[in-house]
């Protein structure tokens, strides 16, 4: 029987008081109106999604400081370790910078202009203009959860070997080859569902999903988390626990969806 472990170091939810609701400032709103406790399964991804939304809404304008690590971690109900990983991603994307000293903290950087003087997001918008992101994410989750459940109910001995091999390939993949191996693992689950129609539909939606994923950076923390979830899904399938397989796959899809919504919104 597969056992589900807490995949992130999120804390139990607690009441948010005025003392922990975020610093009052002269911005157009308060961080507490956007930031909320994340769910346990996808703490890093959902926290990143929310902080990206905070920046895109302009609630903390360029040059201003984000709420302190203590305040952000309390609002999001995540550890400071996880929060620092979120802030590191934003630093790597040149969206914020860390300053030390008495008046230090994490400060929002101005959005870089495109070389032609236009909006640097124009190319990104062109690439995703033809895609209904929410529809793609919902359809993907339905197909993936269904495939995982069907695999758990009807996996053969040969299928078990294929599934183990696909999982092992993702675990040993180099960063530049990870997305291909990740795709093959999910396609294997779809094929092992026993439904050719489901497998064909999943192949199509996965192609669209990969186009969206190519628009965002590969994040090592997210890949490590995905690997934990992959292992949990496969373990549930091998244990013939269809309910656990569906649940873990839905959680896995939710993490990817959070990242895409954060970066592509």
């Amino acid at each position: 029987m597969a056992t589900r472990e807490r995949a992130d170091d999120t804390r139990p939810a607690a009441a948010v008081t005025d003392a922990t609701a975020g610093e009052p400032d002269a911005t157009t709103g308060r961080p507490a109106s956007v930031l909320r406790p994340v769910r346990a399964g996808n703490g890093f991804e959902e926290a990143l999604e929310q902080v990206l939304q905070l920046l895109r809404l302009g609630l903390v304008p360029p040059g201003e400081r984000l709420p302190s690590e203590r305040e952000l971690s309390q609002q999001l109900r995540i550890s400071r370790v996880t929060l620092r990983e979120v802030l590191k991603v934003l630093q790597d994307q040149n969206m914020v910078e860390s300053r030390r000293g008495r008046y230090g903290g994490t400060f929002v950087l101005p959005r870089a202009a495109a070389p032609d003087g236009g909006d640097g997001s124009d190319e990104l918008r062109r690439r995703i203009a033809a895609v209904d992101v929410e529809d793609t994410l919902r359809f993907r989750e339905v197909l993936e959860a269904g495939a995982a459940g069907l695999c758990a109910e009807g996996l053969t001995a040969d299928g078990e070997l294929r599934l183990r091999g696909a999982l092992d390939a993702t675990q040993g993949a180099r960063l530049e080859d990870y997305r291909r191996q990740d795709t093959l693992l999910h396609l294997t689950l779809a094929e092992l569902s026993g439904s050719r129609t489901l497998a064909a539909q999943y192949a199509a939606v996965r192609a669209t999903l990969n186009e969206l994923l190519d628009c965002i950076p590969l994040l090592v923390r997210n890949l490590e988390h995905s690997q934990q979830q992959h292992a949990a899904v496969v373990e549930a399938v091998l244990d013939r626990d269809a309910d656990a397989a569906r649940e873990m796959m839905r959680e896995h899809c939710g993490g990817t969806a959070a990242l895409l919504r954060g970066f592509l919104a």
Side-chain angles (χ1 to χ4, degrees), residues 83-234:
L83 176 62
R84 286 166 186 159
E85 290 174 332
V86 168
L87 296 178
K88 178 63 164 57
V89 169
L90 299 179
Q91 290 179 45
D92 291 344
Q93 297 303 307
N94 295 317
M95 301 179 78
V96 301
E97 69 175 2
S98 178
R99 301 176 190 171
R100 296 185 177 182
R102 182 177 179 183
Y103 300 104
T106 301
F107 290 79
V108 178
L109 294 175
R111 182 176 296 182
D116 60 1
D119 185 346
S121 64
D122 284 350
E123 177 61 26
L124 173 60
R125 294 183 188 283
R126 281 194 292 270
R127 292 182 68 181
I128 66 173
V131 178
D132 186 330
V133 175
E134 287 300 324
D135 183 68
T136 298
L137 295 176
R138 289 191 183 100
F139 190 42
R140 183 252 179 137
E141 181 177 325
V142 169
L143 292 176
E144 293 259 33
L150 289 171
C151 282
E153 292 170 351
L155 191 66
T156 65
D158 287 343
E160 182 175 329
L161 290 175
R162 284 187 60 193
L163 189 56
R164 290 184 186 276
L167 178 63
D168 290 343
T170 63
Q171 293 173 337
R174 300 185 305 275
L175 186 62
E176 61 270 21
D177 194 41
Y178 180 82
R179 189 156 290 158
R180 183 175 71 88
Q181 296 298 341
D182 175 42
T183 298
L184 289 172
L185 172 61
H186 285 272
L187 286 173
T188 298
L189 280 163
E191 291 172 1
L192 293 176
S193 72
S195 170
R196 287 179 294 178
T197 301
L198 187 155
Q201 290 292 317
Y202 178 70
V205 79
R206 181 71 195 207
T208 301
L209 180 70
N210 281 356
E211 290 180 356
L212 296 175
L213 290 171
D214 286 342
C215 294
I216 69 175
L218 281 170
L219 307 178
V220 173
R221 170 62 191 271
N222 170 248
L223 299 187
E224 292 172 347
H225 187 203
S226 291
Q227 279 301 99
Q228 295 171 0
Q229 293 177 326
H230 285 158
V233 170
V234 171

Side-chain angles (χ1 to χ4, degrees), residues 38-112:
V38 302
R39 293 170 293 184
N42 295 306
F44 168 77
E45 292 84 358
E46 291 188 17
L48 179 58
E49 176 190 14
Q50 290 190 44
V51 178
L52 282 166
Q53 184 182 44
L54 181 72
L55 299 182
R56 288 201 167 91
L57 287 172
L59 297 183
V60 183
E64 294 295 324
R65 184 176 62 184
L66 290 175
S68 69
E69 288 186 1
R70 178 182 63 83
E71 291 168 324
L72 286 174
S73 64
Q74 287 176 340
Q75 290 175 33
L76 294 167
R77 305 297 178 229
I78 58 175
S79 72
R80 292 197 186 186
V81 172
T82 296
L83 176 62
R84 286 166 186 159
E85 290 174 332
V86 168
L87 296 178
K88 178 63 164 57
V89 169
L90 299 179
Q91 290 179 45
D92 291 344
Q93 297 303 307
N94 295 317
M95 301 179 78
V96 301
E97 69 175 2
S98 178
R99 301 176 190 171
R100 296 185 177 182
R102 182 177 179 183
Y103 300 104
T106 301
F107 290 79
V108 178
L109 294 175
R111 182 176 296 182

Side-chain angles (χ1 to χ4, degrees), residues 151-157 160 235-242:
C151 282
E153 292 170 351
L155 191 66
T156 65
E160 182 175 329
E235 180 185 359
V237 170
L238 296 178
D239 283 349
R240 309 304 195 265
D241 189 338

